Amino acid sequence: MRPGLQQSTGLRQELKVNPRLYQAMDLLYMPLLDLQQHLKQELLTNPFLDLVEPEDEDEESADADEVPEAQDLAEPETAVESEPEKTGDDDVDWEAVLLDGFETGGQREEHEQREWYEPVTVETKHLSDHLTEQLSLIEMSPREAILADDFVGNISDDGYLACPLEVIQRGVNEWLAAEAEERDAEVTPFTDDEVQSMLTIIQELDPPGVGARDLRECLMLQLRAAGQRDSMAYRLVEESFEELIAHRWSELSKRFGISAQDVQRAADEIAKLDPKPGLRYSAGGDNYIIPDLVVDKIGQAYHIFLNDGNLPRLKLSRAYQEIARDKKKFDTESKDFIASKLNSAHWMIQAIEQRRQTMLKVMHFIVDRQRDFFERGVQALRPLTLREVAEAVGMHESTVSRVTNEKFVQTPRGVLPLKFFFSSGLATSDGDDVSARGIKDQIQKLVSGEDTKNPLTDQAIVEILQQTGVQIARRTVAKYRDQLGVLPARMRKRI
């Protein structure tokens, strides 16, 4: 075959995702706060979008040019029952009851307009600020202050020294050399003794344990600050730390010539110490959770609500629609711009409504499937996968994944992520399935109620679970126990 360029014709089919579909998938993925910011941005950039005002919601008829989705969004939404009401009170307006409360004397004539204040983050003192403030009260030379500042900069949020002393010494000496070269002067590099002396000063600061290089040193510093340098707890940490963390009580009792009970009492005192002392001063992130959905039980039925009251409710701007009707006033470029923005506004309203309906469908199925959980608790949680939900609601598995990702629901059992309801399952002797999350809860309760002198082994837990009909392997119990942070039976034993 001769090499060269050739041309040929052919037919083929390709599946391409247009930009609007990408944006629709992003809308499904967005949590409530992100969606709120996105809609506000759309209102600024698209003149054909407008907010639904309170007086618009009271109108009985909408403009003929508004899309049906815009009319649906303008209506005050919203409770959908997960199953029909069985109380027989068909005349009860549950939506009004939820809005007005269970008050004797009838409904309020009008709803109270309450001003909402956004939580404001208050600046707190960081660990480095706390340490710097203490160092400022200590009389030090300018040379020592430079070294102290370098130490503070290398202490992590949990209070530990983040790098070896050699690295700190080399770094500060390189900085001194650069400063000396710039000023054409001579400086004396920091010695090992100076660095070690500064470490001692840092480790005497508050909180006790700050500046430690490992867990063992951190515990020793805290015991030393508490005046327990001559205690058995201090000796255990200093001389037999590996045996201590392995709970080898018998070996420790023989080595120190004391009873195993005394060793355990000393270990209990050590367990009260803070392994990460710096976190009490570290600035943690402020995470606000606003549930996207609300599940409430009224009578014998569970009602599902969308918590979208603070979302901008969109409609097509009537003023801009009137302007767009007279097409003779615009040139071709203006017509294209108007058509693009108008179509985008139509699509945005439809996409928001589709997102709402999709979330309701998914939550309906979850509530129906996990009704026993809402009634009895975690142990009644049933196994559930994304594929099962997708097949039930007629959607793709990836769509369900986007709907449930980073979404929260407020339930009678607390605010939970939607992912909480999804877990693998284990078979039971009667042919049913039980959720892995429910099995973990059973293991946690078994361990918390065990005899500490004779703790339950993994095999003993397997036998207890099998008596309840759960078919589970010992290695699965060990895996769940590790995920719960529960130690093996040998390390939980008390003498």
Side-chain angles (χ1 to χ4, degrees):
M1 182 176 180
R2 296 179 59 185
L5 299 176
Q6 296 180 354
Q7 289 183 343
S8 61
T9 59
L11 297 176
R12 64 177 180 179
Q13 291 182 338
E14 290 184 354
L15 181 61
K16 293 186 177 181
V17 182
N18 59 43
R20 286 190 177 179
L21 187 54
Y22 273 120
Q23 192 173 9
M25 291 188 293
D26 288 339
L27 290 178
L28 280 177
Y29 188 86
M30 288 180 186
L32 194 60
L33 291 178
D34 293 346
L35 180 62
Q36 185 176 355
Q37 296 299 323
H38 180 76
L39 294 184
K40 289 180 179 179
Q41 185 64 29
E42 287 291 327
L43 284 168
L44 293 175
T45 58
N46 194 335
F48 283 91
L49 285 176
D50 200 359
L51 282 174
V52 176
E53 300 297 338
E55 55 269 18
D56 297 334
E57 297 183 355
D58 298 331
E59 294 181 358
E60 296 183 356
S61 60
D63 187 84
D65 294 327
E66 288 190 1
V67 295
E69 289 74 12
Q71 297 172 2
D72 292 340
L73 285 175
E75 297 174 358
E77 213 271 44
T78 94
V80 186
E81 295 186 5
S82 63
E83 62 178 33
E85 182 65 43
K86 299 179 181 179
T87 60
D89 299 330
D90 297 334
D91 298 333
V92 178
D93 186 357
W94 289 113
E95 181 180 352
V97 170
L98 288 172
L99 290 174
D100 294 316
F102 295 88
E103 294 185 353
T104 57
Q107 301 177 354
R108 304 172 189 156
E109 295 184 358
E110 58 182 4
H111 301 298
E112 298 178 0
Q113 297 294 330
R114 297 182 180 179
E115 187 175 359
W116 183 78
Y117 296 94
E118 182 177 358
V120 178
T121 302
V122 179
E123 185 178 1
T124 57
K125 183 183 296 184
H126 193 266
L127 176 62
S128 59
D129 301 325
H130 184 62
L131 297 177
T132 302
E133 185 177 291
Q134 296 176 74
L135 289 171
S136 65
L137 302 177
I138 301 175
E139 185 176 353
M140 290 189 296
S141 65
R143 178 182 175 85
E144 291 175 326
I146 293 174
L147 185 58
D149 184 67
D150 204 79
F151 263 93
V152 171
N154 283 284
I155 293 179
S156 60
D157 289 343
D158 54 10
Y160 287 84
L161 201 60
C163 59
L165 294 180
E166 296 80 8
V167 176
I168 295 178
Q169 182 178 357
R170 184 171 60 251
V172 71
N173 283 337
E174 290 176 355
W175 180 83
L176 281 178
E179 287 291 316
E181 183 179 354
E182 182 178 347
R183 298 178 181 180
D184 194 17
E186 293 184 3
V187 293
T188 303
F190 286 98
T191 63
D192 295 344
D193 292 339
E194 288 178 304
V195 174
Q196 190 64 45
S197 298
M198 183 54 63
L199 175 64
T200 303
I201 295 175
I202 295 295
Q203 290 181 346
E204 291 177 350
L205 300 177
D206 183 75
V210 70
R213 287 162 288 185
D214 53 36
L215 177 60
R216 175 175 170 271
E217 187 176 25
C218 179
L219 299 178
M220 290 172 61
L221 290 172
Q222 294 182 58
L223 290 170
R224 201 180 302 166
Q228 300 185 31
R229 188 160 191 165
D230 297 328
S231 65
M232 178 53 62
Y234 189 87
R235 292 185 61 191
L236 288 175
V237 176
E238 183 181 28
E239 302 175 21
S240 304
F241 188 65
E242 295 298 329
E243 291 80 1
L244 177 65
I245 61 178
H247 292 200
R248 297 172 184 168
W249 311 133
S250 300
E251 293 183 19
L252 292 172
S253 64
K254 294 177 181 178
R255 176 178 298 183
F256 293 96
I258 59 176
S259 65
Q261 289 85 352
D262 291 336
V263 174
Q264 287 184 347
R265 279 192 288 270
D268 291 340
E269 292 298 320
I270 297 171
K272 297 177 183 178
L273 303 177
D274 190 353
K276 296 181 179 180
L279 292 183
R280 71 185 72 170
Y281 292 100
S282 297
D286 298 312
N287 297 321
Y288 300 101
I289 294 178
I290 297 180
D292 301 81
L293 295 151
V294 177
V295 176
D296 202 359
K297 186 177 183 181
I298 304 176
Q300 297 299 320
Y302 283 95
H303 294 249
I304 302 174
F305 306 87
L306 277 169
N307 188 28
D308 57 355
N310 291 328
L311 282 181
R313 306 179 80 83
L314 306 179
K315 68 174 184 179
L316 292 179
S317 174
R318 296 181 179 179
Y320 278 93
Q321 286 187 87
E322 293 294 335
I323 296 175
R325 283 195 179 96
D326 193 355
K327 300 180 180 179
K328 297 179 180 180
K329 295 181 179 179
F330 307 105
D331 54 21
T332 304
E333 185 176 349
S334 300
K335 290 180 181 178
D336 294 340
F337 173 79
I338 291 174
S340 173
K341 290 298 183 180
L342 184 58
N343 291 335
S344 177
H346 274 275
W347 177 87
M348 178 60 66
I349 296 174
Q350 295 173 7
I352 295 300
E353 178 63 18
Q354 182 64 35
R355 178 185 186 273
R356 297 169 69 248
Q357 297 302 325
T358 302
M359 292 182 65
L360 285 173
K361 286 182 181 179
V362 172
M363 197 64 223
H364 269 297
F365 181 81
I366 292 176
V367 170
D368 291 339
R369 179 66 179 268
Q370 304 292 3
R371 184 179 178 85
D372 290 340
F373 160 76
F374 293 103
E375 297 289 342
R376 305 202 306 268
V378 178
Q379 294 190 14
L381 197 65
R382 299 179 61 186
L384 184 63
T385 62
L386 294 174
R387 178 173 297 180
E388 293 179 65
V389 179
E391 292 175 354
V393 300
M395 300 175 184
H396 195 272
E397 189 174 340
S398 62
T399 303
V400 177
S401 177
R402 290 185 177 89
V403 169
T404 57
N405 190 70
E406 297 186 16
K407 307 294 192 307
F408 291 83
V409 56
Q410 179 179 321
T411 73
R413 294 194 173 272
V415 178
L416 302 169
L418 289 185
K419 292 292 186 181
F420 172 85
F421 299 99
F422 295 85
S423 64
S424 57
L426 297 172
T428 59
S429 57
D430 56 4
D432 293 333
D433 291 335
V434 62
S435 169
R437 201 180 299 275
I439 296 297
K440 291 181 183 180
D441 185 70
Q442 293 185 48
I443 294 174
Q444 185 74 64
K445 290 183 177 179
L446 288 173
V447 172
S448 61
E450 69 184 0
D451 182 6
T452 55
K453 294 184 178 180
N454 188 23
L456 296 171
T457 62
D458 293 343
Q459 184 60 38
I461 295 176
V462 169
E463 294 173 358
I464 294 175
L465 292 177
Q466 287 179 347
Q467 293 175 4
T468 62
V470 179
Q471 305 299 322
I472 189 172
R474 186 196 62 79
R475 62 179 180 273
T476 306
V477 170
K479 180 180 71 172
Y480 290 168
R481 177 177 52 73
D482 290 338
Q483 292 175 354
L484 292 170
V486 177
L487 296 174
R490 177 185 62 81
M491 302 182 70
R492 301 197 309 272
K493 186 175 182 180
R494 307 282 296 182
I495 298 176

